[in-house]
Amino acid sequence: MCLANAHEGSHHSAPDALMRDAATVSNNEEVAIRHISLDWTVDFDRQCIYGSALLKCEALKDTDKVVLDGRELAIHGITIGDTKVDYDVENVAVFGQRISLKLGDFPQGSTKDVLIKYSTGEGPKASALQFIEKELTADKVKPYLYSQCQAIHARSIVPCMDTPANKQTYDAKVKVPEGMVCLLSALGTGNEKTEDGGTIYSFNQPMPIASYLFAIVAGALERREISPRCDVWAEPSVVDKARYEFEDTEKMLATAEELMGKYVWSRYDLVVLPPSFPFGGMENPCLTFVTPTLIAGDRSLTSVVAHEIAHSWTGNLVTNGNWEHFWLNEGFTVFCERKIMGRLYGESLRQFENITGWEDRMLPTINETFGPVHNYTRLVPDLTGVDPDDAFSTIPYEKGSAFLLYIEQQLNIGERYEQFFREYLAHFAQKSIATDDWKNFLYEKMQDKKEILDNIDWIGWLYNPGVPPNKPTFEEELVQECRDLANLWGNASDEEIANIDVEQFNKMTSVQQVKVLDSIEALSPLSHQRVEKLQEKYRLNETCNCEIRFSWLLIALKAKWTPVIPQALAFVAEIGRVKYVKPIYTKLFAWEESREKAIETFKKNIPFMHPITVIVINSLMAKK
Ligand code: BES
Ligand code: ZN
């Protein structure tokens, strides 16, 4: 197979080797970290974590140093056995601290156990952490702490090689105050009480993981069992609702296993976080984190759980080697998430999600958010000097899964495509890879289909910005009804609207309702009178479903309907999900009438937001 010139004209060279991760300052090409032992105390008064990390380092080449990533860490001392290690800490723009350890002779193949005593930055300085005072939790009895390390925030809680090119196993002992439960992205191995009434929890993660998968949550948490290997954790007033909402978790996991192979992480637990959690879900190993906004009461938003389950293979086992290949995590995961949902709830749902992903998420990101020549609209973007959080968008998700769907349709080999996925996952399990590793493996396994593969526009799909060169085939029936209803709202006379059949909308599933609203939003702005009618007819200000509320707010904001301002501000003050907060703040900042109030609301809320969300909104404000 000759792929040597396949990337001619693309934006960067040497595509066959995994390029150096531009988002780490560590010397991960010289040294590997194989294991980390953490000894932590969570200090709710100072709002930090302090203790130590013991790093088992292995020299991959002859060297004399280990260079680690950090961010706002206070290093108290570094030792190997009884010997002090000389070190140097330097601040680096965007990427945090370069912590250089002078180790003397460190020949290839040898190992050294390095003990680092340190504390994290306090409060929001530890960009991965949010400490929440007890008054602001659901039950108001204990304070709360949670982390979000992806993409490059692990370095703010542990000195490490914060690149997905390095994987390590870990164990931990974590001390928390009286009455609090602590959970990590690992298996719990017991706990003991301390003299002051606190508890020390012990953990082990026997599978090697990338640093972005370190995770901690501590609070007044309770547990409910879903199945022998799945529990859900949440504050007491939330936990039973959560248990109901996530009832199908075991079924989803079993379906994922049929599709992707044996589940190798032992447990799959969920923890429901406070509303400030910046994401819908985060695939922390053994313990997926989810936003409480998934609890709609009708199990209608649980595809996020299918998504995080799929990451147990695509992402956590087979991992993007650097953030330019992020679509190998997210595009593959979306593709598998929809296969799981299709098998459990019907193929038409899968089709539906594929279409809305293409037309309501991918296309607007390309054409409106970034513009069609923007670097970030490439499936494999150039991230030199860029914080990966800054490039985050629907592109790796939707362009990525559409590409996999397109290839499936071109090959047209039925079951064998899913078989290929299983082989790919088994082959690259526990590795960190680049796009070409997948592509080469595809060619190898599909030698009899070489002609079809050669006809794929690889450069167009992978490296060119803008709308992909081909559109996969979608079954549009279910979607058409939604588009028709949307067009009615755009075009009908006042009289027709007055007589509109409200039941047609009410009978739809919530994903269909969202589609109706998103299709309305894509039309030219509605008149104020029509916006009012829309809200009134469909009782949109009463919905508890966040997806519906969000789509409604975007329609009203686009129409510049003044009464939406307080509704939108209340929404972003309560919910921290970046997917909602970023587009809403963007609109509020851009509109004369809401700009001042939006800035005021944001500034007032900073102390109650996760640091990641603050960074995102701050950069929006700067852009105006
Ligand atoms: N791993 C991501 C979240 C993430 C990505 C955090 C990059 C930080 C940096 C997670 O699996 C995810 O994709 N969550 C989505 C859910 C979804 C697409 C169903 C979300 O939060 O909306
Ligand atoms: Zn994901």
Side-chain angles (χ1 to χ4, degrees), residues 32-52:
I33 312 279
R34 301 299 186 194
H35 184 83
I36 298 185
S37 288
L38 299 169
D39 187 345
W40 277 353
T41 298
V42 180
D43 186 335
F44 281 93
D45 297 324
R46 279 169 54 217
Q47 300 206 327
C48 71
I49 294 175
Y50 65 86
S52 65

Short mmCIF file of all heavy atoms in Angstrom, two decimals, residues 32-52:
data_model
loop_
_atom_site.label_atom_id
_atom_site.label_comp_id
_atom_site.label_asym_id
_atom_site.label_seq_id
_atom_site.Cartn_x
_atom_site.Cartn_y
_atom_site.Cartn_z
N ALA A 32 8.91 7.70 29.98
CA ALA A 32 7.50 7.33 30.16
C ALA A 32 7.21 7.26 31.65
O ALA A 32 8.07 6.85 32.44
CB ALA A 32 7.22 5.99 29.51
N ILE A 33 6.01 7.70 32.04
CA ILE A 33 5.55 7.46 33.41
C ILE A 33 4.69 6.20 33.36
O ILE A 33 3.73 6.13 32.58
CB ILE A 33 4.69 8.63 33.94
CG1 ILE A 33 5.35 9.99 33.68
CG2 ILE A 33 4.36 8.43 35.42
CD1 ILE A 33 6.39 10.42 34.62
N ARG A 34 5.03 5.21 34.16
CA ARG A 34 4.30 3.93 34.12
C ARG A 34 3.23 3.81 35.19
O ARG A 34 2.25 3.11 35.01
CB ARG A 34 5.29 2.76 34.28
CG ARG A 34 6.37 2.70 33.22
CD ARG A 34 5.77 2.52 31.84
NE ARG A 34 6.82 2.30 30.85
CZ ARG A 34 6.62 2.38 29.55
NH1 ARG A 34 5.43 2.71 29.06
NH2 ARG A 34 7.62 2.16 28.71
N HIS A 35 3.48 4.48 36.34
CA HIS A 35 2.53 4.36 37.46
C HIS A 35 2.63 5.61 38.32
O HIS A 35 3.70 6.20 38.45
CB HIS A 35 2.86 3.12 38.30
CG HIS A 35 1.86 2.88 39.41
ND1 HIS A 35 0.67 2.21 39.20
CD2 HIS A 35 1.88 3.22 40.73
CE1 HIS A 35 -0.01 2.16 40.34
NE2 HIS A 35 0.70 2.76 41.28
N ILE A 36 1.51 6.04 38.88
CA ILE A 36 1.52 7.15 39.83
C ILE A 36 0.79 6.72 41.10
O ILE A 36 -0.31 6.16 41.04
CB ILE A 36 0.85 8.42 39.24
CG1 ILE A 36 1.62 8.90 38.00
CG2 ILE A 36 0.78 9.53 40.29
CD1 ILE A 36 1.12 10.22 37.40
N SER A 37 1.43 6.92 42.26
CA SER A 37 0.77 6.70 43.55
C SER A 37 0.48 8.06 44.17
O SER A 37 1.41 8.82 44.45
CB SER A 37 1.68 5.92 44.51
OG SER A 37 1.77 4.59 44.11
N LEU A 38 -0.79 8.33 44.40
CA LEU A 38 -1.18 9.62 44.95
C LEU A 38 -1.50 9.47 46.42
O LEU A 38 -2.12 8.49 46.85
CB LEU A 38 -2.43 10.15 44.23
CG LEU A 38 -2.27 10.39 42.73
CD1 LEU A 38 -3.64 10.64 42.08
CD2 LEU A 38 -1.33 11.57 42.47
N ASP A 39 -1.06 10.48 47.20
CA ASP A 39 -1.45 10.55 48.61
C ASP A 39 -1.97 11.97 48.82
O ASP A 39 -1.20 12.91 48.86
CB ASP A 39 -0.21 10.26 49.48
CG ASP A 39 -0.59 10.16 50.95
OD1 ASP A 39 -1.71 10.59 51.31
OD2 ASP A 39 0.23 9.65 51.73
N TRP A 40 -3.28 12.09 48.89
CA TRP A 40 -3.89 13.42 48.85
C TRP A 40 -4.72 13.72 50.11
O TRP A 40 -5.35 12.81 50.67
CB TRP A 40 -4.88 13.50 47.66
CG TRP A 40 -4.28 13.80 46.33
CD1 TRP A 40 -2.99 14.14 46.03
CD2 TRP A 40 -4.98 13.77 45.07
NE1 TRP A 40 -2.84 14.33 44.68
CE2 TRP A 40 -4.04 14.12 44.06
CE3 TRP A 40 -6.29 13.51 44.69
CZ2 TRP A 40 -4.39 14.20 42.71
CZ3 TRP A 40 -6.64 13.58 43.35
CH2 TRP A 40 -5.69 13.92 42.36
N THR A 41 -4.74 14.98 50.46
CA THR A 41 -5.72 15.47 51.42
C THR A 41 -6.51 16.58 50.74
O THR A 41 -5.92 17.47 50.12
CB THR A 41 -5.03 16.04 52.69
OG1 THR A 41 -4.30 14.98 53.31
CG2 THR A 41 -6.05 16.60 53.66
N VAL A 42 -7.84 16.49 50.82
CA VAL A 42 -8.67 17.55 50.24
C VAL A 42 -8.92 18.57 51.33
O VAL A 42 -9.47 18.25 52.39
CB VAL A 42 -10.01 16.99 49.71
CG1 VAL A 42 -10.84 18.12 49.11
CG2 VAL A 42 -9.76 15.90 48.67
N ASP A 43 -8.48 19.81 51.08
CA ASP A 43 -8.60 20.88 52.07
C ASP A 43 -9.69 21.86 51.63
O ASP A 43 -9.46 22.70 50.75
CB ASP A 43 -7.23 21.59 52.19
CG ASP A 43 -7.22 22.61 53.30
OD1 ASP A 43 -8.30 23.13 53.66
OD2 ASP A 43 -6.11 22.91 53.80
N PHE A 44 -10.86 21.72 52.24
CA PHE A 44 -12.00 22.56 51.83
C PHE A 44 -11.87 23.99 52.35
O PHE A 44 -12.51 24.89 51.83
CB PHE A 44 -13.32 21.94 52.29
CG PHE A 44 -13.78 20.81 51.41
CD1 PHE A 44 -13.43 19.49 51.72
CD2 PHE A 44 -14.51 21.04 50.26
CE1 PHE A 44 -13.83 18.45 50.90
CE2 PHE A 44 -14.91 20.01 49.43
CZ PHE A 44 -14.57 18.71 49.75
N ASP A 45 -11.05 24.19 53.40
CA ASP A 45 -10.88 25.55 53.90
C ASP A 45 -10.02 26.36 52.95
O ASP A 45 -10.38 27.47 52.56
CB ASP A 45 -10.25 25.53 55.30
CG ASP A 45 -11.17 24.83 56.30
OD1 ASP A 45 -12.41 25.00 56.15
OD2 ASP A 45 -10.67 24.11 57.18
N ARG A 46 -8.87 25.79 52.59
CA ARG A 46 -8.00 26.52 51.66
C ARG A 46 -8.39 26.30 50.21
O ARG A 46 -7.82 26.91 49.30
CB ARG A 46 -6.55 26.07 51.88
CG ARG A 46 -5.88 26.76 53.07
CD ARG A 46 -4.54 26.09 53.43
NE ARG A 46 -3.65 26.01 52.30
CZ ARG A 46 -2.82 24.98 52.06
NH1 ARG A 46 -2.79 23.93 52.87
NH2 ARG A 46 -2.04 24.98 51.00
N GLN A 47 -9.33 25.41 49.97
CA GLN A 47 -9.76 25.06 48.61
C GLN A 47 -8.58 24.61 47.75
O GLN A 47 -8.28 25.19 46.70
CB GLN A 47 -10.50 26.22 47.95
CG GLN A 47 -11.75 26.63 48.72
CD GLN A 47 -12.80 27.27 47.85
OE1 GLN A 47 -12.49 27.96 46.89
NE2 GLN A 47 -14.06 27.03 48.17
N CYS A 48 -7.94 23.55 48.23
CA CYS A 48 -6.87 22.95 47.45
C CYS A 48 -6.72 21.48 47.81
O CYS A 48 -7.38 21.00 48.73
CB CYS A 48 -5.54 23.69 47.68
SG CYS A 48 -4.83 23.38 49.31
N ILE A 49 -5.90 20.79 47.05
CA ILE A 49 -5.51 19.43 47.40
C ILE A 49 -4.01 19.48 47.69
O ILE A 49 -3.26 20.11 46.94
CB ILE A 49 -5.78 18.46 46.23
CG1 ILE A 49 -7.28 18.34 45.96
CG2 ILE A 49 -5.18 17.09 46.51
CD1 ILE A 49 -7.62 17.49 44.73
N TYR A 50 -3.58 18.86 48.80
CA TYR A 50 -2.14 18.79 49.03
C TYR A 50 -1.74 17.36 49.37
O TYR A 50 -2.58 16.55 49.75
CB TYR A 50 -1.69 19.77 50.12
CG TYR A 50 -2.24 19.47 51.49
CD1 TYR A 50 -1.60 18.57 52.34
CD2 TYR A 50 -3.41 20.09 51.95
CE1 TYR A 50 -2.10 18.30 53.61
CE2 TYR A 50 -3.91 19.82 53.20
CZ TYR A 50 -3.25 18.92 54.03
OH TYR A 50 -3.75 18.64 55.27
N GLY A 51 -0.44 17.07 49.20
CA GLY A 51 0.04 15.73 49.48
C GLY A 51 1.22 15.40 48.60
O GLY A 51 2.11 16.22 48.42
N SER A 52 1.20 14.20 48.02
CA SER A 52 2.35 13.81 47.20
C SER A 52 1.94 12.91 46.05
O SER A 52 0.86 12.31 46.07
CB SER A 52 3.39 13.09 48.07
OG SER A 52 2.84 11.88 48.55
#
